[in-house]
Amino acid sequence: MSARVGAGEVWRAARSVVPAGHLDAAGCNVPTDRVLDAVVAHLRLERERGGYAAVPDLTASRSALAALVGAGPADVAFLESGTAAMAALLGGWRLPPGSRVGYARTEYGSTLMLLHRLAARRGWRLVELPVDGTARLDPEGVRARLAAGLDLVIVSHIGSHHGVVQPAAEIGALCRAAGVPFVLDVCQSLGHVEVRGTDASAYVGTSRKWLAGPRGVGFLIVPGLTPAMDAPAPTLSGHLWEEPPRTEEVPGRTRESVPVPGAARYESSEGAIAGRIGLGTAVLEFHEAGPSELHAHLADLGRTARGLLDGAGGWRVAEPLGEPSALVTLRPPPGDTAERAAARAADASLLVGVVPTARAPLHLREPVLRVSPPPGTPLETLHALARVLAR
Ligand SMILES: *Cc1c(COP(=O)(O)O)cnc(C)c1O
């Protein structure tokens, strides 16, 4: 354990800005001074030079981000959130009517809304993938569904509402073997658990959670682009005219556009450029701190938190106690609620999350308390929360 605590200490030194009671890395984590400085420095540069003249070369940021999943810089598109990234990816995917899309009941609320809407409008059929009693996808069951015919599989690596780490590498290998594209939502997993080796066609992520970048930035990493994958709407930054536009319109003739190569088709040219720079800085810091040591440190923190909190005041941890994630969720005892416990925690200067059922409407039956300690969280903070729950 000492080596892992050591990694936490290294990280903590870099992150001495994290407020003591902050236990909401899964909601909105705390950017380091270096990240904030990079954001502010770019805003100043935009003011001094003019925004267009200040446009940065983000290739190093794209490379660092893509490396977290084993992809390359041309596979990265920056958007404004994970939700926007998922909407761009699925909204532009030309799946014919009758296509079968696999998803799990643990899926994120906005993604389910999107899937239901796209299914209704485009004639896609939604196929629920089997999970076990802990809501973990059952690879054998997924294999059987793939054999029965699927055209796309969408999985959240870790849900917003539940600390179970889905067997993404196994599902990815099964999809690859079946020739079925696999979309992995890494909003809660990148910067938290190992994502390399999952072999997804596309990854959907967000900056402000475990990567501790600024708010307002999300991203797609698309190593498995196919001709059926396009942006939902063509844009001048992401598409080219198939032929040079004519100065004189020819009646009856329409101009076609084609997507530019790579993930750039999904990216808006206008955006929070300073935020993209901040995310790039946060990802570089993550590489410097050592991804595998941090993953191990966070898994330890999560297990420790579950051990300390399970049973406190009758609260029960919802996922298996030994789950290797630092996203811990608790169900209330009779007579208490997640909202009231979060308010008591706030009175004790502890920041925890409340996850409403809408976040995972097919899985959550009541709101849960979410405890997600950032790297370097002192044990005393977890003890303080256990005392609040026991009250
Ligand atoms: C937060 C989250 C999202 C959405 O990301 P935003 O940046 O908030 O739009 C999607 N999926 C999961 C699992 C999440 O936790």
Side-chain angles (χ1 to χ4, degrees):
M1 174 121 177
S2 56
R4 293 174 175 186
V5 169
E9 291 308 317
V10 170
W11 188 243
R12 190 163 170 69
R15 303 179 51 85
S16 50
V17 289
V18 177
H22 189 99
L23 291 170
D24 195 25
C28 201
N29 210 337
V30 181
T32 63
D33 280 343
R34 213 165 124 200
V35 170
L36 282 195
D37 289 348
V39 171
V40 173
H42 187 72
L43 291 174
R44 288 194 185 285
L45 197 68
E46 286 185 343
R47 186 173 70 177
E48 283 156 21
R49 290 205 189 150
Y52 288 170
V55 164
D57 180 357
L58 287 171
T59 310
S61 298
R62 293 180 199 277
S63 294
L65 185 59
L68 295 178
V69 303
D75 301 326
V76 173
F78 291 112
L79 293 106
E80 82 263 25
S81 68
T83 303
M86 185 67 89
L89 181 73
L90 298 186
W93 208 313
R94 287 191 292 267
L95 287 176
S99 294
R100 294 161 61 86
V101 180
Y103 71 100
R105 63 172 49 212
T106 49
E107 196 43 72
Y108 188 73
S110 305
T111 301
L112 281 176
M113 276 184 183
L114 177 67
L115 280 176
H116 280 272
R117 191 168 276 215
L118 290 173
R121 291 191 180 164
R122 299 186 185 172
W124 299 353
R125 290 179 53 197
L126 302 183
V127 178
E128 191 175 316
L129 302 173
V131 295
D132 69 12
T134 63
R136 194 186 311 276
L137 280 163
D138 163 25
E140 279 315 308
V142 171
R143 187 200 299 274
R145 292 288 196 283
L146 283 164
L150 287 175
D151 300 290
L152 177 63
V153 167
I154 300 169
V155 168
S156 283
H157 200 178
I158 303 178
S160 169
H161 67 291
H162 192 58
V164 161
V165 184
Q166 296 293 349
E170 278 175 89
I171 306 298
L174 289 170
C175 289
R176 173 68 48 144
V180 174
F182 173 44
V183 173
L184 189 63
D185 175 335
V186 293
C187 286
Q188 288 295 357
S189 64
L190 211 57
H192 183 185
V193 301
E194 184 58 79
V195 176
R196 279 175 312 170
T198 52
D199 209 11
S201 319
Y203 302 84
V204 176
T206 200
S207 153
R208 73 185 183 283
K209 298 178 181 174
W210 299 94
L211 290 170
R215 288 194 66 178
V217 184
F219 53 86
L220 283 172
I221 310 173
V222 195
L225 203 61
T226 67
M229 294 163 74
D230 192 3
T235 63
L236 284 174
S237 57
H239 295 74
L240 298 166
W241 292 114
E242 227 169 15
E243 53 184 303
R246 297 156 188 278
T247 43
E248 261 176 67
E249 285 292 342
V250 182
R253 175 150 190 175
T254 52
R255 287 180 197 155
E256 285 302 321
S257 63
V258 288
V260 298
R265 66 193 58 187
Y266 296 109
E267 189 168 290
S268 47
S269 61
E270 181 50 9
I273 305 299
R276 295 175 186 177
I277 288 181
L279 170 60
T281 306
V283 172
L284 288 174
E285 281 189 317
F286 182 73
H287 282 290
E288 284 168 15
S292 49
E293 281 183 306
L294 273 169
H295 296 153
H297 169 66
L298 285 169
D300 273 354
L301 257 182
R303 290 191 196 104
T304 304
R306 289 190 193 97
L308 281 173
L309 299 173
D310 189 47
W315 284 79
R316 297 320 300 243
V317 166
E319 57 278 337
L321 296 183
E323 198 65 23
S325 75
L327 196 154
V328 176
T329 61
L330 294 136
R331 295 198 193 99
D336 207 352
T337 65
E339 291 86 351
R340 287 212 294 275
R344 294 204 302 279
D347 288 343
S349 302
L350 299 169
L351 179 65
V352 293
V354 175
V355 185
T357 55
R359 203 77 66 73
L362 301 180
H363 186 217
L364 264 193
R365 298 216 179 80
E366 61 183 336
V368 290
L369 198 66
R370 186 179 62 197
V371 181
S372 51
T377 296
L379 281 191
E380 176 44 32
T381 306
L382 299 172
H383 281 291
L385 180 63
R387 289 194 295 274
V388 166
L389 293 183
R391 211 183 293 157

